[in-house]
């Protein structure tokens, strides 16, 4: 076979994981979870935009925090989902873990991108520039985006899913070990160059009136993350099914 | 498809690769409807001769001429060269591949679809090439010859990776080409059952 | 209503932030669902094409009998 | 003839889109190189602003080099290059199609992302448009001159690295006039040096349209025949 692992090994590998159970379970979960996330986010928006007071120091721009902070949390949550799933995939050889890790990456990357842009929009009125190298968390978020893009690029270039899964799992684990080191180095780099702007990203201690919208938005985003993860996992399982069908089809074709 | 006075001839042909004299003072004449089978040990220059005819390899001394062909087009453009490599892209589907080569080499999209059916690849049309077996890839490469009518076929070990049924199909395919007044020059160990084929042994005289 | 839209003068920052968040999330949801639908359709088409022959083989190995 | 040219161009664009997201890899490299400059040089804004046009051009050059070696190598390895030369298209036009595909897949995305990355380097907004314009004019030269390096190293092991080293000197005029056009022009177009740099950049690109394909075809013949 042209570069494919032997047919039976790939199919047995996936057969063992018995995706049928997951597909049945997830098909019942997707719709309700989707509804739940829509409701929670709607409520969150209501409190974030209308029912909460502006900040005495930042004024209305504090409302950007209600999208920026949850996005940042989901960005990191996404990467930890990938790291845990990759560990499970490598240690327990459970292919559904690979599927979960691969499906989580684009969602995490999207939230990281959102965190970066909303962070820049939030900082702009204060710092006068769209990007502030002085803010260690924003810089670390940018590096996290690189890790995500690298992970997805690795999946995109290796055709054979079993080999790609193992390589991506190793990358995700190495990435997760490196994240604290990167974060520390950026903090240290920050103290080296005393940043001109005094303004710190998180601003004043979070007033109680802000906790509700922030909490709702974070919960809504998390439920949305899980919903999208399930949908993308189902798509990935179908994609592998298509691949096996094509292999079988070529094998059964005339004069294989 | 081709005029009957088609003739491929070579006079005092020599080939030198990387300082090594592969063969020299080679002569042959092939008329329309005839086949020339190149035999000889590996490394005796069968592939090099085919590449020289196709214009893919410099001709050191001597010359090759196709008389009676299309004067405007170079010899290489009037020949199909089938080398060891199948020139297939794994991410492209079977149909996309044959359609590209048909369009690029001057054939038509309709002929491309027909060529797939001739090579029994019709039902694998939208399968990416990555999924094909070696035999199916070879047949897809051969389908290119059916899709674009060209008088001269230069085949380097065409039966490699083909199973019995496909070899039978290849023989009929080649016989039809000869019947249509085409010329075939093939390097092969397998008897292609071309009956009237002339044969040219390479490399033996130098050794003896 | 207008001062709500004005966002205390920071409309140029708050609304793009929310707008972009909505756009990216909508794009992500749409792409995920579209990808799932495309792969499912492709799988069904391939199963019909192979006349169920492959389905039986696939389902037997799915229950782990093929070990 | 033109049908074959279009068929080849479209095939290459489709292949690039399918394998590794086309220009995505080059833009990702461009983004990472620009992002690490401040980490090395320090977050001092005025310093970054003065560095920005030069760094953006250097990073763009390196990103363009990155994807050069596969230009002919991929087709050489699977035997397509042999067949391409038995087609109606002369090797010169095959080289044009390849360079054009490289520019569309790699050059354009880089040009589009340059002003966005300028934000990371605190590029003054006035300089963004001239820089992008200069890059738009200069990047075709990177692809057409680059195709010569790719053709010279086809079939050579680790040819990609060699191709970059061969081609980088040819890129120097593009770099100098490109940065000149971007920096001088940011003070408004009437700057004499700015307009001169733009014209010279355009001249280099036009020259590359002529020299590139001819040299690439000659290199392919020398390498393969």
């Amino acid at each position: 076979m042209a570069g494919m692992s032997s047919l039976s090994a790939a199919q047995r590998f996936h057969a063992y994981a018995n995706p049928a159970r997951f597909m049945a379970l997830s098909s019942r979960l997707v719709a309700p979870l989707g509804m739940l996330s829509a409701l929670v986010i709607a409520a969150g928006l209501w409190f974030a935009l209308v029912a909460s007071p502006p900040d005495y120091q930042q004024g209305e721009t504090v409302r950007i925090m209600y999208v920026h902070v949850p996005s940042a949390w989901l960005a990191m949550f996404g990467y930890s989902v990938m790291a845990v799933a990759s560990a499970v995939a490598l240690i327990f050889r459970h292919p559904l873990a690979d599927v979960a890790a691969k499906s989580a990456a684009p969602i995490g990357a999207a939230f990281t991108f959102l965190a970066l842009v909303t962070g820049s929009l939030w900082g702009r009125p204060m710092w006068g520039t769209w990007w502030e190298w002085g803010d260690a968390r924003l810089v670390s978020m940018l590096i996290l985006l690189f890790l995500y893009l690298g992970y997805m690029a690795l999946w995109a270039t290796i055709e054979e899913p079993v080999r790609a899964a193992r390589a991506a799992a190793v990358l995700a684990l190495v990435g997760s070990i490196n994240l604290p080191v990167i974060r520390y180095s950026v903090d240290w780099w920050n103290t080296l160059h005393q940043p001109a702007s005094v303004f710190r990203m998180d601003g004043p201690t979070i007033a109680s009136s802000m906790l509700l919208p922030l909490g709702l938005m974070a919960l809504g985003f998390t439920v949305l993350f899980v919903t999208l993860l399930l949908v993308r996992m189902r798509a990935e399982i179908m994609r592998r099914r298509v691949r096996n069908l094509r292999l079988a089809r070529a094998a059964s074709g005339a004069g294989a | 498809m081709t005029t009957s006075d088609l003739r491929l001839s070579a006079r005092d042909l020599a080939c030198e690769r990387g300082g090594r004299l592969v063969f020299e003072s080679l002569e042959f004449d092939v008329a329309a409807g005839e086949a020339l089978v190149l035999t000889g040990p590996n490394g005796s220059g069968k592939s090099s001769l085919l590449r020289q005819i196709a214009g893919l390899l410099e001709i050191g001394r001597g010359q090759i001429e196709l008389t009676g062909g299309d004067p405007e087009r170079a010899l290489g453009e009037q020949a199909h060269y089938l080398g060891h490599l199948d020139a297939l892209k794994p991410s492209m589907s079977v149909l996309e591949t044959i359609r590209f080569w048909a369009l690029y080499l001057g054939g038509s999209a309709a002929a491309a679809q027909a060529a797939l059916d001739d090579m029994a690849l019709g039902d694998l049309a939208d399968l990416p090439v990555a999924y094909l077996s070696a035999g199916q890839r070879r047949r897809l490469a051969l389908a290119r010859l059916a899709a674009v009518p060209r008088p001269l076929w230069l085949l380097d070990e065409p039966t490699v990776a083909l199973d019995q049924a496909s070899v039978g199909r290849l023989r009929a395919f080649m016989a039809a080409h000869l019947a249509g007044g085409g010329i075939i020059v093939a390097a092969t160990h397998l008897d292609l059952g071309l009956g009237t084929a002339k044969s040219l042994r390479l490399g033996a005289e130098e050794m003896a | 209503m207008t001062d709500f839209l004005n966002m205390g003068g920071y409309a140029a920052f708050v609304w793009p932030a929310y707008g972009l968040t909505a756009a990216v999330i909508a794009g992500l949801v749409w792409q995920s669902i579209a990808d799932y639908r495309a792969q499912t359709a492709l799988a069904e088409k391939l199963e019909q094409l192979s006349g169920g022959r492959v389905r039986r083989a696939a389902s037997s190995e799915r229950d782990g009998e093929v070990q | 003839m033109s049908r074959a040219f279009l068929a080849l161009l479209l095939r290459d664009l489709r292949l690039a889109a399918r394998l590794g997201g086309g220009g995505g890899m080059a833009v990702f490299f461009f983004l990472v190189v620009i992002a690490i400059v401040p980490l090395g040089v320090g977050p001092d804004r005025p310093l970054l602003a003065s560095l920005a046009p030069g760094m953006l051009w250097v990073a763009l050059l390196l990103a363009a080099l990155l994807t050069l070696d596969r230009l002919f190598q991929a087709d050489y390895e699977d035997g397509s290059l042999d067949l391409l030369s038995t087609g109606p298209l002369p090797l010169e036009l095959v080289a044009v199609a390849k360079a054009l595909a490289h520019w569309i897949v790699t050059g354009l995305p880089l040009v589009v992302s340059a002003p966005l990355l300028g934000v990371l380097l605190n590029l003054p907004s006035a300089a963004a448009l001239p820089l992008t314009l200069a890059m738009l004019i200069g990047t075709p030269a990177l692809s057409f001159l680059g195709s010569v390096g790719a053709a010279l190293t086809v079939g050579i092991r680790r040819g990609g690295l060699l191709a970059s080293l061969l081609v980088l000197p040819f890129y120097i005029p593009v770099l100098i006039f490109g940065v000149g056009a971007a920096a001088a022009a940011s003070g408004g177009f009437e700057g004499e040096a700015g307009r001169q740099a733009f014209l010279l950049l355009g001249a280099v690109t036009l020259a590359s349209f002529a020299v590139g394909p001819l040299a690439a075809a000659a290199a392919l013949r020398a390498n393969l025949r």
Side-chain angles (χ1 to χ4, degrees):
Chain A
M1 281 283 185
M4 293 295 136
S5 77
S6 75
L7 185 62
S8 61
Q11 282 188 327
R12 191 174 59 250
F13 191 84
H14 291 296
Y16 177 74
N18 196 346
R21 248 202 332 266
F22 169 81
M23 292 298 267
L25 183 67
S26 56
S27 67
R28 282 195 296 277
L29 281 177
V30 167
L33 279 179
M35 289 302 153
L36 179 63
S37 69
L39 275 174
V40 174
I41 290 178
L45 282 176
W46 166 257
F47 283 103
L49 288 172
V50 180
S52 69
D55 178 67
Y56 65 94
Q57 214 185 8
Q58 297 173 30
E60 299 289 343
T61 58
V62 74
R63 299 192 192 284
I64 301 180
M65 178 178 76
Y66 300 135
V67 250
H68 169 69
V69 173
S71 298
W73 286 344
L74 263 301
M76 284 177 271
F77 174 71
Y79 203 85
S80 36
V81 165
M82 269 164 57
V84 167
S86 300
V88 165
L90 279 180
I91 300 163
F92 304 109
R93 284 264 179 287
H94 195 302
L96 268 187
D98 288 324
V99 170
K102 178 177 180 183
S103 309
I107 311 171
F111 278 118
T112 313
F113 172 73
L114 276 181
L116 284 169
V117 177
T118 51
S120 169
L121 280 168
W122 190 19
R124 178 76 170 90
M126 302 304 149
W127 305 320
T129 66
W130 291 104
W131 184 256
E132 172 48 59
W133 284 102
D135 179 353
R137 276 185 311 201
L138 217 49
V139 173
S140 309
M141 195 62 68
L142 181 63
I143 296 166
L144 180 62
L145 183 65
F146 295 161
L147 296 184
Y148 272 116
L149 294 178
Y151 181 83
M152 293 192 288
L154 184 60
W155 267 106
T157 40
I158 304 178
E159 275 119 29
E160 209 269 308
V162 178
R163 202 157 61 85
R166 199 148 304 136
V170 168
L171 176 62
L173 284 181
V174 168
S176 59
I177 296 165
N178 265 321
L179 264 181
V181 177
I182 294 172
R183 182 54 206 278
Y184 174 76
S185 62
V186 171
D187 275 339
W188 181 82
W189 175 75
N190 235 310
T191 54
L192 205 62
H193 305 275
Q194 207 36 25
S197 79
V198 172
F199 176 75
R200 289 282 305 146
M201 196 58 181
D202 43 22
T205 55
I206 299 195
S208 62
S209 67
M210 296 180 186
L211 275 185
L212 184 59
L214 200 54
L216 279 175
M217 289 300 276
L219 176 62
F221 277 15
T222 308
V223 177
L224 177 68
F225 183 97
V226 172
T227 318
L228 286 177
L229 183 64
L230 292 181
V231 172
R232 295 189 80 91
M233 284 178 73
R234 291 165 61 79
E236 180 60 23
I237 288 174
M238 292 312 284
R239 183 172 298 115
R240 295 192 182 188
R241 176 133 183 68
V242 162
R243 191 176 162 280
N244 284 336
L245 285 169
R246 280 177 163 167
L247 282 172
R249 195 159 162 59
S252 65
Chain B
M1 120 184 131
T2 54
T3 54
S4 62
D5 59 4
L6 189 70
R7 172 171 296 282
L8 177 69
S9 53
R11 290 293 171 271
D12 180 26
L13 193 61
C15 169
E16 190 241 329
R17 290 292 300 280
R20 183 172 70 88
L21 184 66
V22 180
F23 56 73
E24 60 176 339
S25 62
L26 209 67
E27 308 246 340
F28 62 79
D29 265 281
V30 196
E34 283 176 358
L36 176 65
V37 178
L38 308 176
T39 54
N42 279 345
S44 57
K46 298 198 294 290
S47 299
S48 303
L49 174 58
L50 287 173
R51 288 180 72 88
Q52 276 188 332
I53 302 173
L56 300 174
L57 195 59
E58 214 76 85
I59 297 175
R61 220 180 27 255
Q63 32 94 12
I64 300 173
E65 217 187 352
L66 181 68
T67 53
D70 176 349
E72 293 102 25
R73 291 199 293 169
L75 202 154
E77 266 182 76
Q78 301 176 64
H80 272 305
Y81 170 73
L82 187 80
H84 297 302
L85 299 170
D86 295 329
L88 302 174
K89 298 290 179 188
S91 62
M92 281 168 76
S93 78
V94 169
L95 190 59
E96 280 170 346
T97 308
I98 193 67
R99 207 174 259 157
F100 165 72
W101 283 116
L103 212 58
Y104 183 80
L105 297 173
S108 71
Q113 180 63 47
L116 282 188
D117 301 332
D118 295 349
M119 284 291 151
L121 289 169
D123 55 3
L124 303 179
D126 45 24
L127 204 62
V129 164
Y131 293 89
L132 297 185
S133 70
Q136 289 162 334
R137 295 164 65 92
R138 198 62 175 165
R139 293 200 334 258
L140 181 53
L142 283 168
R144 195 176 64 239
L145 279 67
V148 182
R150 284 189 170 186
L152 181 55
W153 285 5
L154 306 169
L155 311 177
D156 199 343
E157 306 289 349
T159 55
V160 157
L162 289 186
D163 60 15
Q164 271 319 326
S166 304
V167 170
R169 201 176 291 118
L170 175 62
R171 278 210 187 96
F173 192 35
M174 290 168 75
H177 179 67
L178 291 179
I183 294 180
I184 294 181
V185 180
T188 178
H189 300 295
L190 202 60
D191 158 32
L192 285 176
L194 291 176
T196 63
K198 295 183 182 171
S199 124
L200 177 63
R201 185 139 189 76
L202 284 169
E205 306 88 351
E206 274 71 30
M207 303 310 171
Chain C
M1 182 56 186
T2 51
D3 61 359
F4 167 73
L5 286 181
N6 186 295
M7 273 298 162
Y10 292 115
F13 304 106
V14 177
W15 292 120
Y18 278 81
L20 184 74
T21 306
V24 168
I25 289 180
L28 199 54
V29 168
W30 177 78
Q31 198 272 338
S32 304
I33 294 175
D35 182 37
Y36 172 69
R37 289 224 176 91
Q39 296 302 331
T40 315
L42 203 52
E44 259 142 38
K45 193 187 78 154
L46 281 167
E47 268 163 15
Q48 273 138 25
L49 273 180
S50 59
R53 189 161 22 86
V54 175
R55 177 198 299 277
R56 273 191 308 285
S59 59
S60 67
E61 36 83 12
R62 183 183 299 153
D63 308 336
E65 285 151 16
V66 166
Q67 244 59 43
Chain D
M1 176 87 84
S2 63
R3 205 167 57 126
F5 181 85
L6 268 179
L8 178 58
L9 185 62
L10 290 178
R11 183 198 72 153
D12 279 0
L13 293 180
R14 197 181 307 127
L15 278 177
R18 284 194 188 148
L19 298 173
M25 223 51 105
V27 172
F28 183 22
F29 177 84
F30 191 27
L31 169 64
V32 172
V33 168
I34 290 299
I36 58 177
V37 164
L39 293 177
V41 167
D44 171 37
R45 274 209 277 279
L47 172 68
L48 286 179
S50 64
L51 272 178
M55 271 321 296
L56 283 165
W57 260 105
V58 167
L60 182 116
L61 240 59
L62 297 178
L65 281 180
L66 198 68
T67 51
L68 258 186
D69 63 337
R70 297 305 295 168
L71 216 60
F72 296 107
Q73 188 70 13
D75 281 342
Y76 171 78
E77 277 158 6
D78 61 29
S80 303
L81 205 54
D82 286 344
L83 294 190
L84 288 179
S85 50
T86 65
L89 220 52
L91 274 180
E92 285 75 5
L93 283 180
V94 170
V96 168
K98 292 284 180 186
L100 197 55
H102 179 266
W103 182 62
I104 294 171
V105 166
T106 308
L108 279 182
L110 290 177
V111 172
V112 167
S113 57
L116 307 178
L117 299 189
V119 166
L120 291 182
L121 294 182
N122 195 27
L123 179 76
S125 51
L129 182 64
L131 177 77
T132 313
L133 201 59
M135 286 182 169
L136 193 62
I137 299 172
T139 39
L142 301 183
S143 298
F144 279 81
L145 290 174
S147 68
V148 179
L152 282 168
T153 58
V154 80
I156 299 173
R157 218 170 24 76
R158 291 190 56 74
L161 182 62
L162 184 60
S164 310
L165 297 178
L166 298 183
V167 158
L168 212 51
F170 302 154
Y171 281 0
I172 289 173
V174 179
L175 175 64
I176 292 170
F177 295 138
V179 174
S186 61
F189 275 100
E190 76 293 338
E192 186 46 34
R195 205 160 353 91
Q196 229 177 13
F198 264 108
L199 294 176
L200 290 168
L201 188 61
V204 167
T205 297
L206 290 177
S208 74
F209 287 157
V211 169
L214 288 174
L220 284 176
R221 286 196 192 87
N223 247 340
L224 304 178
R225 293 284 152 78

